[in-house]
Amino acid sequence: MQLIKELKYQAWAIAWTVLILIFCCMRTDGASSSGLFFEGFDKLVHLGFFYVLTVLMFYGKINYQHNYRFRSLTIFKIILITAGIGAGIEFLQATFFTYRSAEWWDFGCDMIGVMMGVFSYVLLHKMDYEK
């Protein structure tokens, strides 16, 4: 019952995860040759997707707790969950959605986005704590 209550607060993060999964596994036939995207655009998208996901996960956790308590275990859990999602997407791209390429660099950019989100949370938490 506790898990269901907590998941209610993670609705935005769950919806964003589904959106990431859809975008990362859909066909992009000819999109890279259309001139709309530059080399490395894919990496920037991965970074942005996972930055927003991390922020939404912290947002849900803060709303669930009804405070801004800083806990290292929460940060570790969020890093672990997002790493699992990123690795899962690359696994799906390698095995099921073979029209997409699974790359370690994509996973690396996912984790950079996560670390940016963690840094944002820690920085903003520290600023709030010092008031």
Side-chain angles (χ1 to χ4, degrees):
M1 192 64 176
Q2 182 78 9
L3 179 65
I4 294 171
K5 184 179 178 187
E6 188 169 352
L7 284 177
K8 179 181 83 168
Y9 288 96
Q10 293 294 343
W12 285 109
I14 293 168
W16 189 253
T17 302
V18 171
L19 188 69
I20 291 172
L21 182 62
I22 290 169
F23 280 127
C24 287
C25 294
M26 66 189 265
R27 287 190 183 272
T28 58
D29 298 334
S32 59
S33 63
S34 68
L36 295 174
F37 305 109
F38 53 88
E39 188 176 339
F41 180 79
D42 175 50
K43 308 306 180 247
L44 187 62
V45 168
H46 276 269
L47 188 142
F49 276 164
F50 278 80
Y51 173 77
V52 171
L53 176 61
T54 305
V55 169
L56 289 174
M57 290 179 82
F58 277 119
Y59 177 75
K61 189 66 175 173
I62 289 167
N63 284 333
Y64 172 71
Q65 294 176 167
H66 299 296
N67 64 38
Y68 288 94
R69 261 186 314 187
F70 182 88
R71 296 187 57 203
S72 299
L73 183 60
T74 299
I75 293 172
F76 178 73
K77 286 180 185 177
I78 288 175
I79 291 171
L80 198 62
I81 290 168
T82 53
I85 293 168
I89 287 172
E90 295 307 314
F91 174 76
L92 286 173
Q93 288 180 345
T95 57
F96 296 107
F97 304 108
T98 54
Y99 50 84
R100 296 293 303 246
S101 62
E103 300 177 15
W104 283 107
W105 287 110
D106 288 346
F107 180 73
C109 288
D110 295 344
M111 292 300 95
I112 291 171
V114 169
M115 292 306 151
M116 288 171 56
V118 169
F119 177 75
S120 298
Y121 171 74
V122 170
L123 181 69
L124 292 174
H125 177 270
K126 183 176 178 167
M127 289 173 53
D128 187 54
Y129 182 73
E130 290 176 352
K131 285 183 180 179

